[in-house]
């Protein structure tokens, strides 16, 4: 039997009409006319049917779906106004987000053990991040304390990469809120901790802004964009609000007037 | 997302296991597919094509995650009609023995053979998805299947041997 015939026989899926395809017409002719080829075809078909069944016989580990969902679902922060509890939960969330990001960026085949240097470095950064969050929340919950989200946003701004991905490919879970629908999205990129997305926005004139949409639920934030930004210092107007498990932080190059070019203020929740 | 996981995690895990040959690697690979799905599922416009899309993500993750390793040589991949049994007792095809045979395939052969057996794709579709010529897929498929057959025939207790081979064995014995 020649190689072309053998490859043709082996390419036919069991129980299919693959042999009737025009590309395999010469092989079909041989199967019809040559008894040896016909026997080979029938045996290969039977073999493939058997292997095809066997290949799907794999036991699935117990609790796999729960483990998968457990790593996918975001962990919401408590609504209790207690800085210690909030900071503790926030650090837990950071740890989960960090692990998720690490897993996403790592190869699937990397073994899960705590012996690697990278793992220890990650643990160190997590501890530092947890301390920062503790300090941040402890300060923030004091009535006379300055609003710290601006500082957090500064850190995010500095961490942004130069390149932006096309706006139409932005992740659905971090969609632009309707409150900034008058602005045009010029692109997006991922934000690491907490997990989220940064959008580059334009007001259609000369104004630009960056909107951070991060998965973080904290009590006390407004549920819609404020009528005036919470902060207008250093040539930037910063506003933040929350909807569900997402926090929106809008950083605009400019002042309160620039802010109005980007945000449609309403008395009802918009995000 | 929960519905997506509920509907597809078992199939994806089975496929992942056949590709990786390892329970923890298969679980990691399955997890990675759903992490990507969570971010990029909006790319799928037709809900009927979700399964195929997930399979594609899984294959790509597998190929990206492959360790640099030297594939085991596939010694003799010629077609031999005597190695294709006349009758197979289906219930006794051992899953682990099959996996051991799959593990000895080089990855480019493993992908093709699992797209054929697991995804039930035609050689033409496999060629389109992998962006390789159909002739290459046919060649890899034939060689991979011949290799699997040889490996499986070594533990041939589930195969009813052809009578002439059985008689020959008896004479030798």
């Amino acid at each position: 039997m020649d190689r072309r015939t053998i490859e043709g026989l082996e390419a036919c899926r069991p129980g299919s009409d693959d042999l009737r395809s025009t590309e395999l017409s010469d092989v079909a002719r041989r199967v019809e006319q040559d008894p040896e080829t016909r026997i080979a075809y029938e045996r290969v078909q039977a073999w493939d049917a058997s292997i095809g069944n066997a290949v799907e016989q794999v036991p699935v580990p117990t609790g796999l779906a729960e483990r998968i969902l457990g790593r996918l679902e975001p962990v919401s922060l408590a609504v209790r106004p207690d800085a210690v509890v909030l900071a503790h939960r926030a650090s837990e969330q950071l740890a989960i987000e960090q692990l998720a990001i690490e897993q996403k960026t790592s190869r699937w085949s990397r073994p899960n053990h705590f012996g690697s240097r990278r793992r220890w470095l990650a643990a160190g950064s997590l501890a530092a991040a947890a301390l920062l969050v503790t300090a941040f929340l402890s300060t923030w919950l004091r009535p006379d304390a300055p609003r710290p989200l601006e500082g957090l946003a500064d850190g995010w701004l500095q961490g942004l990469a130069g390149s932006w991905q096309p706006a139409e490919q932005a992740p659905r879970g971090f969609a632009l809120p309707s409150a900034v629908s008058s602005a045009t999205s010029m692109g997006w990129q991922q934000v690491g901790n907490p997990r989220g997305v940064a959008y580059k926005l334009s007001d259609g004139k000369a104004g630009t802004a960056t909107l951070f949409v991060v998965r973080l639920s904290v009590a006390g934030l407004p549920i819609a964009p404020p009528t005036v930004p919470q902060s207008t210092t250093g040539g930037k107007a910063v506003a933040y609000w929350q909807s569900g498990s997402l926090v929106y932080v809008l950083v605009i190059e400019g002042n309160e007037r620039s802010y109005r070019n980007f945000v449609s203020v309403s008395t009802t929740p918009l995000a | 997302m929960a519905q997506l996981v509920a509907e597809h995690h078992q199939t994806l895990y089975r496929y992942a296991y056949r590709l990786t040959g390892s329970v923890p690697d298969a679980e990691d690979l399955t997890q990675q597919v759903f992490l990507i799905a969570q971010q990029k599922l909006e790319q799928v416009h037709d809900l009927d094509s979700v399964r195929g899309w997930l399979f594609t993500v899984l294959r790509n993750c597998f190929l990206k995650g492959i360790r640099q390793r030297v594939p085991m040589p596939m010694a003799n991949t010629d077609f031999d009609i005597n190695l294709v049994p006349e009758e197979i007792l289906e219930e006794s095809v051992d899953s682990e023995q099959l996996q051991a045979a799959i593990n000895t395939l080089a990855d480019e052969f493993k992908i093709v053979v699992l797209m054929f057996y697991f995804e039930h794709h035609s050689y033409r579709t496999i060629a389109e998805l992998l962006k390789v010529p159909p002739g290459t897929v046919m060649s890899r498929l034939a060689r991979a299947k011949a290799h699997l057959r040889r490996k499986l025939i070594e533990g041939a207790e589930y195969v009813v041997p052809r009578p002439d081979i059985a008689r020959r064995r008896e004479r030798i014995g």
Side-chain angles (χ1 to χ4, degrees), chain A residues 6 10 13 23 43 47-48 54-59 61 64 67-68 71-72 103-104 108-109, chain B residues 13-14 18 27-28 31-32 38-39 61 65 67 79 81 84 88 95 117 120 123-124 145 149:
Chain A
I6 291 164
E10 296 280 28
R13 290 167 297 173
E23 295 94 340
R43 282 197 201 167
W47 169 275
D48 282 343
V55 90
E56 294 179 13
Q57 304 304 312
V58 176
L64 177 61
R67 286 196 293 282
I68 290 170
R71 291 183 200 170
L72 293 178
Q103 183 169 3
K104 269 188 295 182
W108 53 264
S109 53
Chain B
Y13 173 83
R14 290 187 177 111
R18 289 304 185 195
E27 191 162 333
D28 281 355
Q31 176 75 58
Q32 194 179 355
Q38 192 177 35
Q39 293 181 338
C61 289
R67 293 190 189 96
F79 180 83
I81 184 64
V84 189
I88 302 171
S95 176
Y117 281 129
H120 310 291
Y123 72 95
R124 281 225 153 261
K145 287 166 74 177
R149 222 169 267 138

Side-chain angles (χ1 to χ4, degrees), chain B residues 45-112:
Chain B
H45 301 296
D46 178 9
L47 285 178
D48 293 338
S49 62
V50 165
R51 180 185 160 104
W53 183 82
L54 290 169
F55 278 154
T56 302
V57 172
L58 189 143
R59 267 189 271 110
N60 290 340
C61 289
F62 169 73
L63 289 171
K64 282 179 188 168
I66 290 170
R67 293 190 189 96
Q68 291 299 315
R69 60 177 181 182
V70 181
M72 295 186 71
M74 299 193 348
N76 186 351
T77 56
D78 291 341
F79 180 83
D80 181 352
I81 184 64
N82 293 323
L83 291 179
V84 189
E86 284 179 287
E87 198 180 340
I88 302 171
L89 303 178
E90 263 183 36
E91 66 277 10
S92 57
V93 175
D94 182 73
S95 176
E96 288 310 305
Q97 193 185 2
L98 176 61
Q99 189 58 47
I102 292 172
N103 288 347
T104 62
L105 287 171
D107 292 312
E108 64 268 31
F109 290 86
K110 192 187 292 182
I111 285 280
V112 167

Side-chain angles (χ1 to χ4, degrees), chain A residues 10-29:
Chain A
E10 296 280 28
C12 293
R13 290 167 297 173
S16 73
D17 57 358
D18 288 346
L19 197 59
R20 291 185 191 167
S21 67
T22 49
E23 295 94 340
L24 297 179
S25 57
D26 53 333
V27 180
R29 203 174 308 115

